[in-house]
Amino acid sequence: MKVYAATDIGRVRPINEDSYYAPKPGERFCAVADGMGGHNAGEVASAMAVRVLEEEMRTPIQPTEEALRRAVERANAEIWRASKEREGCLGMGTTITALCMEGNIAHIAQVGDSRAYLIRNRAILQVTTDHTLVEEMVLSGLITPSEALSHPKRNYITRALGTAETVEVDLLRLDTRPNDVFLLCSDGLSNALSERELLEIMLSGMRMEDKVSTLIERALHRGGHDNITVLLVTCEEEKK
């Protein structure tokens, strides 16, 4: 597992409320979190989420899937408690999309509308489900996916960490292949670029580091209306 990551404040927001975690040597997990709330509270919530994930996943005592669930549920509880106790943090919350590699299995935990995509065989697939009002409307057949892209309520999140005392965590388990690449991102990227545009960059001959910077630059060119965070995760092993 190797992770290439970067974040950018964008061109509009006064602070960057995104946080991400890239693995230290020997670690096999990473995450992106997109905070929300007044003042700097979103920044606080997303930072708390990745800190708790690191603490829980550093020495997991449970199977990987359950360790991820425990980490996200603990993060939710700590953010919920802090939102009640800390001045200026009322109502803060954050998304989280976390990935952990276990051999050739990728485990993903999801809450909110940050995303994980899988690039395989020159195709791209969104493997997580957005916890948003418009996604629920699409799944219910009330609107089409194309209508969701411009729906006035497309940013209404229905599930996040810290906004309720408990949280339901989506858990995915995917078999990986040697050339697979996962793209984890905040909605500052996914709202700015279509899947076709994401795939075009991912299939280019650029180095992974340059693909990360190009994805961010393209989102900035589209206006940079939100913070932008990008993680590219490959199945290659770190060189000794």
Side-chain angles (χ1 to χ4, degrees), residues 128-204:
T128 53
T129 299
D130 296 345
H131 298 139
T132 60
L133 180 60
V134 294
E135 183 66 18
E136 292 181 359
M137 295 170 70
V138 169
L139 294 174
S140 300
L142 297 176
I143 61 174
T144 66
S146 59
E147 289 172 334
L149 296 175
S150 58
H151 196 280
K153 295 184 178 180
R154 63 186 178 277
N155 294 324
Y156 281 37
I157 297 178
T158 56
R159 199 188 308 176
L161 297 189
T163 58
E165 194 168 2
T166 60
V167 68
E168 180 183 355
V169 185
D170 286 358
L171 295 168
L172 298 85
R173 175 189 172 103
L174 302 170
D175 293 325
T176 65
R177 300 176 186 174
N179 295 321
D180 285 350
V181 179
F182 289 93
L183 164 60
L184 275 59
C185 64
S186 60
D187 66 349
L189 180 74
S190 57
N191 283 344
L193 302 183
S194 67
E195 289 189 1
R196 181 184 59 79
E197 292 169 315
L198 296 175
L199 183 61
E200 177 187 1
I201 294 169
M202 292 304 302
L203 294 183
S204 71

Side-chain angles (χ1 to χ4, degrees), residues 218-239:
R218 192 75 62 84
L220 290 171
H221 182 69
R222 293 286 168 81
H225 301 294
D226 202 350
N227 310 141
I228 310 156
T229 301
V230 176
L231 281 72
L232 296 183
V233 186
T234 72
C235 296
E236 65 184 303
E237 295 295 334
E238 291 279 8
K239 295 180 180 179

Side-chain angles (χ1 to χ4, degrees), residues 68-125:
L68 271 175
R69 184 200 303 275
R70 173 186 169 92
V72 175
E73 289 178 343
R74 182 190 145 198
N76 179 77
E78 292 198 11
I79 296 167
W80 169 258
R81 185 167 57 250
S83 74
K84 305 300 180 185
E85 297 174 352
R86 294 190 191 179
E87 185 177 355
C89 289
L90 182 64
M92 72 176 178
T94 185
T95 70
I96 191 165
T97 304
L99 182 149
C100 183
M101 293 296 299
E102 182 181 37
N104 65 342
I105 303 295
H107 298 273
I108 299 175
Q110 169 79 3
V111 177
D113 66 345
S114 295
R115 291 181 178 179
Y117 295 94
L118 171 62
I119 295 89
R120 173 187 288 174
N121 295 336
R122 303 185 64 81
I124 187 169
L125 173 68

